Amino acid sequence: MNEYWQARRSGPSAQRPGDRRTPWQRDRARVLHSAAFRRLQSKTQIMNVGENDFYRTRLTHSLEAAQIGTSLINQLHHVGSSEERQLLPDLNLMETLCLAHDIGHPPFGHGGETALNYKMLASGGFEGNGQTFRIVGKLEAYHAEHGMDLTRRSLLGLLKYPVLMPDWPVPDTLANPGSLAEWRPAKALFACDADLLDWVLEPLSAADRQRFQEVEKLERSPWQRSLHKSFDASLMELADDIAYGVHDLEDAVVTGTLSENQWHTHIDHVVSSLDGDLSTLMRQLGTQLFSREHSVRKDAIGALVNIFVTAVRIKEVLPDVSEELIRFNAVLPDPQRFLLDSLKAVVFEHVINQPSIQQLRYRSQTMLLNLFSAFHNEPLRLLPHNTRARWQAAYEQEGQAGADRILCDYIAGMTDDYAERMYKNLFVI
């Protein structure tokens, strides 16, 4: 791999005496030992932290995504051509991307993400992947200016949406959001981090970069859709999708949130539309999934993961560009992609969209809206000393929008537990 993809924004740095690690091993270590990664242990995946001691948190989800990501690499080493194998990321790089992919998520999952986006409408918006990029490139304490100071290829692989936030309409008043569903965030990076994005994409030709950053304009929130991602990001996103579609499904089954009747109602027509062997296997796994024998259910979960891992292939998605890292993507064939999307739909419909979960999400969103308002109105009284200093510096240099970004960094970095305690400190008598 060309040296410019191994470069760090801080420039060349001397290895510590006796340190024989590769750049990718060093990146993985920086993610693994970061405060942002540790905080994932107390951030919601789907069901609120503390509701049950079985299901996944953001931390365990990220660990499982990393394991699936390395399985995808191993699979492609066996089925890919020699040219495709040359393109595959190192296993340590793959783990780096999967371990880091969710560290920008705020407390309370996507509900918290939407709440923060609403509060930041006049100051550049908020989105979880954009915050991940900001943490690894600027905020984490490894380097004074460059966050974790990861290699350029690692940063490229973390860009699920390699574009900047669009200009969107800001409501006349932000006091009453109405339905927060109308303010879902655009999947994009923050304008204040454009300099970091420019550095990551610097090796691309002007034509390649223009192609890579194409978007589809939408008439309603979230206003745009990014069309392309790098090869490494496609592998990371596929590992994330498999972990979400299969392991969060397991959580729903074990905790009784998803019943066997609901499974059949939602999935039987999907299974009947699949090819013969895959359809037969899915019928068998559907029975095993609801077995009272834990080992039988666990074997079914492993078999579901195996369906997707063994189907992955490399596809040329942008044949007109010269940089291989954006010309190719990892993809699933249509039947496996349809099945995985259907599993994710089951989790959404029978878990995420349930009134009990949505009521908790509403409560959590209200807490974050109120926390942001309190810190926005009284930053010099309420913010911790170190965050207050950053807020003052940003306000003097960039005005209110820059200061609000510091508030957003602070709240987005909270764990669920910390956000609840802070809310009680400020509002509960």
Side-chain angles (χ1 to χ4, degrees):
M1 181 55 60
N2 293 326
E3 288 186 6
Y4 51 74
W5 290 116
Q6 297 185 32
R8 302 182 190 277
R9 201 176 183 198
S10 64
S13 59
Q15 291 277 81
R16 293 188 177 96
D19 187 353
R20 303 300 180 193
R21 293 176 299 168
T22 68
W24 322 122
Q25 289 172 317
R26 296 172 71 190
D27 280 1
R28 180 182 179 276
R30 292 180 187 191
V31 170
L32 197 59
H33 294 291
S34 67
F37 181 73
R38 290 195 300 276
R39 290 189 186 109
L40 295 178
Q41 66 187 302
S42 187
K43 288 195 176 186
T44 293
Q45 171 64 10
I46 291 182
M47 301 177 184
N48 277 28
V49 171
E51 293 291 318
N52 188 291
D53 62 2
F54 175 84
Y55 53 67
R56 275 83 180 171
T57 64
R58 287 277 171 193
L59 179 65
T60 56
H61 162 75
S62 298
L63 293 170
E64 289 174 332
Q67 187 276 323
I68 293 170
T70 56
S71 295
L72 292 171
I73 301 300
N74 289 330
Q75 176 69 17
L76 289 171
H77 266 297
H78 284 89
V79 303
S81 66
S82 58
E83 293 80 6
E84 290 173 340
R85 287 196 293 271
Q86 290 295 317
L87 185 62
L88 291 174
D90 177 90
L91 290 177
N92 289 284
L93 173 55
M94 191 72 253
E95 285 199 6
T96 297
L97 302 182
C98 293
L99 293 173
H101 81 281
D102 265 354
I103 61 173
H105 265 287
F108 311 122
H110 288 289
E113 180 184 47
T114 302
L116 286 182
N117 180 58
Y118 178 77
K119 282 297 188 180
M120 288 294 291
L121 285 176
S123 302
F126 178 83
E127 194 275 329
N129 188 246
Q131 190 70 10
T132 293
F133 189 64
R134 182 167 170 79
I135 288 170
V136 299
K138 292 188 175 182
L139 298 182
E140 188 65 39
Y142 185 89
H143 189 279
E145 298 176 359
H146 305 306
M148 295 184 197
D149 197 26
L150 302 182
T151 58
R152 182 181 265 122
R153 181 166 178 177
S154 290
L155 290 173
L156 179 69
L158 286 170
L159 290 178
K160 291 171 70 173
Y161 320 105
V163 297
L164 297 178
M165 282 282 183
D167 293 327
W168 44 26
V170 178
D172 294 334
T173 174
L174 292 175
N176 181 17
S179 173
L180 281 175
E182 298 178 10
W183 302 105
R184 292 172 299 164
K187 302 299 185 180
L189 309 177
F190 312 136
C192 58
D193 299 322
D195 58 325
L196 179 58
L197 177 62
D198 288 340
W199 182 81
V200 173
L201 301 185
E202 189 178 291
L204 303 183
S205 68
D208 281 6
R209 175 167 178 172
Q210 182 177 12
R211 188 86 165 88
F212 184 51
Q213 293 187 287
E214 289 176 333
V215 297
E216 176 187 1
K217 297 294 185 181
L218 306 175
E219 294 183 1
R220 303 182 61 179
S221 172
W223 310 110
Q224 75 176 21
R225 183 171 69 90
S226 175
L227 297 179
H228 308 298
K229 59 180 61 68
S230 71
F231 176 64
D232 297 345
S234 71
L235 282 162
M236 175 264 286
E237 189 168 51
L238 184 54
D240 183 26
D241 277 356
I242 295 171
Y244 168 70
V246 177
H247 291 133
D248 289 343
L249 172 68
E250 180 185 16
D251 284 356
V253 171
V254 172
T255 58
T257 310
L258 176 69
S259 71
E260 189 168 5
N261 285 338
Q262 289 170 327
W263 165 264
H264 286 298
T265 298
H266 202 110
I267 287 293
D268 282 356
H269 74 282
V270 173
V271 172
S272 64
S273 70
L274 298 173
D275 296 336
D277 290 345
L278 183 55
S279 179
T280 301
L281 176 59
M282 281 303 301
R283 286 191 176 91
Q284 174 187 338
L285 296 181
T287 300
Q288 294 178 2
L289 193 60
F290 292 90
S291 170
R292 294 186 178 182
E293 294 292 333
H294 295 329
S295 60
V296 174
R297 183 193 67 241
K298 204 65 186 177
D299 183 63
I301 292 297
L304 282 172
V305 172
N306 185 68
I307 288 172
F308 305 116
V309 169
T310 56
V312 66
R313 295 293 183 269
I314 296 175
K315 179 181 179 181
E316 189 177 39
V317 292
L318 291 176
D320 54 335
V321 305
S322 58
E323 174 53 60
E324 290 183 332
L325 283 180
I326 64 173
R327 191 195 314 163
F328 296 94
N329 272 187
V331 298
L332 289 177
D334 289 342
Q336 286 80 6
R337 170 47 68 182
F338 175 57
L339 176 58
L340 181 55
D341 288 344
S342 299
L343 295 183
K344 292 167 63 179
V346 170
V347 173
F348 178 82
E349 181 60 31
H350 295 289
V351 182
I352 298 173
N353 210 30
Q354 287 301 300
S356 59
I357 298 295
Q358 289 302 314
Q359 289 163 9
L360 286 172
R361 175 174 286 193
Y362 180 84
R363 171 181 174 270
S364 302
Q365 287 176 317
T366 301
M367 283 196 292
L368 289 192
L369 292 172
N370 289 332
L371 281 177
F372 192 100
S373 294
F375 291 128
H376 177 84
N377 294 334
E378 297 278 6
L380 299 181
R381 287 181 64 197
L382 302 179
L383 287 174
H385 290 296
N386 59 341
T387 307
R388 185 189 308 172
R390 291 181 60 224
W391 182 94
Q392 286 180 301
Y395 187 82
E396 291 169 2
Q397 296 173 16
E398 306 167 47
Q400 190 63 57
D404 282 349
R405 181 59 63 189
I406 301 303
L407 295 184
C408 193
D409 289 340
Y410 173 56
I411 296 173
M414 294 178 179
T415 63
D416 294 15
D417 293 338
Y418 185 90
E420 290 225 25
R421 288 197 303 272
M422 182 61 70
Y423 181 84
K424 289 178 181 176
N425 288 343
L426 294 178
F427 294 103
V428 178
I429 299 174

